[in-house]
Amino acid sequence: MAVSVFNLFSIGIGPSSSHTVGPMRAARQFVVNLQLNDMLVDVHRIKMELYGSLALTGKGHSTDIAVLLGVEGNAPEGIDPRDVEPRIKWIRENCKISLLNSRLIEFQEEVDLIFHSDKQLPFHPNGMRFTAFNTCHREISQEVFYSVGGGFIVDHHAAMKDETICQNDHHLPYPFKTADELLLLCKKHNFSIAELMWENEKSWRTEEEIEIGLLNIWNVMQTCVKHGCEKEGVLPGGLNVKRRAASIYRYLQEQELKPLEKRDRAEVIDWVSLWALAVNEENAAGGRVVTAPTNGAAGVIPAVLHYYEKFIKNSNSKGIITFLLVAGAIGILYKEGASISAAEMGCMGEVGVACSMAAAGLAAALGASNEQIENAAEIGMEHNLGLTCDPIKGLVQIPCIERNTMGATKAINAERLARLHGDGTHRVTLDQVIATMKQTGHDMMSIYKETSQGGLAVNVPEC
C-alpha cells in the first residue's frame, strides 16, 4: 500500500477523522458506486448501519451527520462547515435525502440509520454497512466499509487483502515500511528523509504541485488557528466546555507589550498550548481542520509548526515543507507498522503518533541528521505508550483538546533531547517502539479504545 503525505494531511471538517471524515467518504463512495453501476436511478430506499466504536461514540463524533452528508455527495475536503447544520435540519424536517444531490428519496432516520452498539464487523471496530433497495423493497446493492483512522477507508473486499481504496498497485521509487528500511535507503542514495519523501511524492505530482500543496496545508492550519483564536463561547454537545483560546491569545498579546525582563520565561509553553487549543476547539465545533494524522490529534503538528515559525530564527517555507515531508514519513511508518486509529490503539494512535511525527518534523526543519530525526520520533512515542482514548460523552473535547497541548509540548522536548543533546545513537529504536505500540494496542481492553466505556468517560459525570 503506497501512502502519500497528502493522504496523512488531508483537509476536512471536525470533530473526528475516523468517525466523521472516514464515514462521510465511505457513504459518498457507496452512492458513487451506485451511479457508476447505473443503479442510482433504481434506488427507492437507502439503509445505513454503524457498528462497534462508530455506534458507541457516533453521536458525539457526528457520524450520523457525516453519513447523511456523504450520501448526498459531499466530500470532507469540499463541504463548507457553515452549510452542515442547515442541510441536516432540512433532511430531518422533510424526511428526504438527495443521493449525490440528484435523486431525492424518502428517508426515515429512525429506521434507515441504525447504531449497532452491541455488534462489531470482523475487520475493524469502525465498521459501516450501506444497503440500497428498489421500489419493490428488494436489495440491489450492499457494501461494507471500515474507517481505519486518519480519514482512510477500506471496503470489505480490500480489507481482506489489506488494501486501502485508491492506493492499490502504486509504484514508489523508494518504498519503505520500517524505519530501518527508510534509514538504509537514505544512506544508500545519500538522501535526507525529506529528499527521499520528495522523490516519492513526485510519483504522484509535479514538484510545483507538491510545494503548492504542502504550503496550502500549512495555510489551512494557520487559518484554523486564527479562527480558533478569534471565537469564544461554549462548544456544542452538552458538556458546556468553554472555548479558551481567544482569552489566552489576548493574555499573550498583552504579555508581549511588557519589557522582556518582566515576562514569564515559560511563556513559550503558553503559546504552544494556545495554538493546539485553537485547532482542537475548532475541530470540536465542526470547523475546517487538517487531519494530522487524525482530527482528534489535529492540534499537535500545527502547534509545533507555529512554534517553528514564531520562535526559530530564520524559519522559512523550505523548513515548513521539510517538516511536513518528514512528519509524513513517520506517519507512514505508524500506518504500516501499527495503526493511527484510536479504535485500535487508544489515543497513543492519535496524539502519540502526532507527537512522534511533530518531533521528527521539527528536528528535520532544524537540520538534524536522519538518525537524530528517527530518535526524536522514537522519544515522542515512547512516552505516549499506553495512552487511552476515553472521551467523555463520546465528544472530542475532554480530555482530547488539552491532550493536544501535552502532545505538542512533548514533541518539542523530544526534538531537543534528540538534536541538541544526542548524536543519533540510542538504545531503543523507532521500529521497536512501533512494534511495542501495536502490541500494547492489541493488549489494551476495548473500553479504553474510543468506546467511551472506560477511563474518564465513566468516572467523570457528563454534566
Side-chain angles (χ1 to χ4, degrees):
M1 181 184 74
V3 180
S4 165
V5 67
F6 292 98
N7 297 134
L8 290 164
F9 297 118
S10 62
I11 299 167
I13 61 171
S16 172
S17 50
S18 61
H19 285 55
T20 313
V21 175
M24 189 184 298
R25 287 180 175 149
R28 184 179 187 277
Q29 187 65 49
F30 177 65
V31 290
V32 166
N33 290 346
L34 288 172
Q35 184 182 58
L36 292 173
N37 292 311
D38 297 321
M39 292 190 290
L40 191 64
V41 68
D42 298 322
V43 178
H44 178 71
R45 178 191 171 211
I46 191 166
K47 182 180 179 182
M48 296 173 274
E49 299 172 86
L50 306 174
Y51 295 83
S53 178
L54 290 183
L56 287 164
T57 61
K59 291 285 186 180
H61 288 67
S62 299
T63 309
D64 50 346
I65 292 172
V67 293
L68 296 183
L69 295 170
V71 298
E72 290 211 317
N74 295 289
E77 59 272 19
I79 191 169
D80 188 332
R82 295 170 297 183
D83 295 337
V84 172
E85 185 176 347
R87 187 58 200 165
I88 294 300
K89 182 180 180 182
W90 187 93
I91 292 170
R92 287 171 170 167
E93 287 181 349
N94 292 277
C95 296
K96 296 179 186 295
I97 197 162
S98 181
L99 306 183
L100 279 186
N101 198 29
S102 63
R103 176 159 177 77
L104 194 64
I105 64 170
E106 299 291 327
F107 183 76
Q108 301 293 331
E109 188 169 352
E110 62 274 14
V111 295
D112 293 334
L113 177 53
I114 302 172
F115 290 78
H116 294 291
S117 58
D118 59 341
K119 298 178 182 178
Q120 183 169 308
L121 295 177
F123 177 71
H124 193 279
N126 294 335
M128 298 159 272
R129 188 191 308 275
F130 300 94
T131 310
F133 302 88
N134 63 15
T135 54
C136 298
H137 308 291
R138 291 180 179 174
E139 178 185 311
I140 59 173
S141 181
Q142 183 180 105
E143 289 189 83
V144 169
F145 293 89
Y146 302 95
S147 180
V148 296
F152 288 82
I153 58 171
V154 179
D155 71 22
H156 186 73
H157 299 294
M160 297 303 101
K161 300 176 183 178
D162 193 26
E163 296 173 345
T164 301
I165 289 176
C166 299
Q167 297 298 321
N168 303 337
D169 303 324
H170 183 86
H171 175 73
L172 293 175
Y174 304 103
F176 60 89
K177 290 189 175 183
T178 69
D180 278 350
E181 290 176 357
L182 175 60
L183 291 174
L184 284 171
L185 278 171
C186 288
K187 186 175 183 179
K188 178 180 178 180
H189 298 283
N190 196 29
F191 282 150
S192 68
I193 294 175
E195 288 169 340
L196 183 142
M197 285 295 293
W198 183 268
E199 292 301 313
N200 278 350
E201 288 300 320
K202 283 165 60 179
S203 69
W204 279 289
R205 299 168 179 83
T206 67
E207 293 193 354
E208 182 180 19
E209 288 171 336
I210 298 168
E211 181 175 348
I212 291 173
L214 291 174
L215 292 179
N216 181 57
I217 286 170
W218 169 229
N219 180 61
V220 175
M221 288 178 174
Q222 289 176 297
T223 301
C224 183
V225 167
K226 180 177 181 293
H227 288 171
C229 288
E230 293 171 345
K231 296 178 183 178
E232 300 189 74
V234 175
L235 293 171
L239 285 181
N240 298 315
V241 174
K242 184 180 178 181
R243 295 181 74 138
R244 289 178 285 174
S247 62
I248 295 173
Y249 181 53
R250 288 194 297 270
Y251 165 79
L252 289 171
Q253 285 182 309
E254 292 171 359
Q255 296 307 302
E256 288 198 321
L257 298 176
K258 295 180 179 179
L260 191 60
E261 64 272 12
K262 292 186 178 182
R263 288 165 60 178
D264 189 342
R265 290 179 180 237
E267 190 179 290
V268 62
I269 298 175
D270 291 337
W271 277 105
V272 174
S273 295
L274 162 69
W275 296 318
L277 283 172
V279 171
N280 285 88
E281 287 175 356
E282 276 294 284
N283 180 63
R288 184 161 307 289
V289 299
V290 176
T291 60
T294 68
N295 282 33
V300 175
I301 287 173
V304 178
L305 275 169
H306 277 78
Y307 163 83
Y308 167 75
E309 183 186 57
K310 182 177 177 65
F311 291 106
I312 301 301
K313 188 177 180 180
N314 298 323
S315 61
N316 53 48
S317 60
K318 182 180 178 181
I320 299 293
I321 290 171
T322 295
F323 185 117
L324 291 172
L325 287 170
V326 172
I330 302 304
I332 289 169
L333 295 176
Y334 284 102
K335 182 150 183 61
E336 292 283 2
S339 172
I340 57 173
S341 168
E344 288 187 289
M345 296 288 118
C347 200
M348 64 179 168
E350 296 206 24
V351 167
V353 172
C355 174
S356 183
M357 292 169 65
L362 181 61
L366 295 179
S369 68
N370 290 339
E371 290 73 21
Q372 288 172 317
I373 291 167
E374 185 257 358
N375 188 196
E378 178 272 319
I379 295 170
M381 174 53 76
E382 184 179 345
H383 305 289
N384 277 296
L385 290 173
L387 189 61
T388 62
C389 181
D390 49 356
I392 297 175
K393 203 177 178 181
L395 298 168
V396 193
Q397 297 180 18
I398 303 174
C400 319
I401 295 173
E402 287 183 355
R403 190 166 282 171
N404 276 258
T405 72
M406 301 297 115
T409 53
K410 192 179 291 186
I412 295 169
N413 190 28
E415 183 279 326
R416 293 177 68 84
L417 284 171
R419 181 179 60 88
L420 293 179
H421 308 295
D423 61 3
T425 58
H426 49 290
R427 182 67 179 83
V428 181
T429 70
L430 178 56
D431 285 333
Q432 290 169 334
V433 164
I434 293 174
T436 303
M437 170 195 169
K438 183 177 182 178
Q439 186 62 53
T440 303
H442 288 170
D443 293 342
M444 188 183 290
M445 293 175 64
S446 63
I447 62 172
Y448 299 113
K449 295 192 286 189
E450 209 168 13
T451 61
S452 288
Q453 294 179 314
L456 289 175
V458 297
N459 286 297
V460 178
E462 292 181 1
C463 59

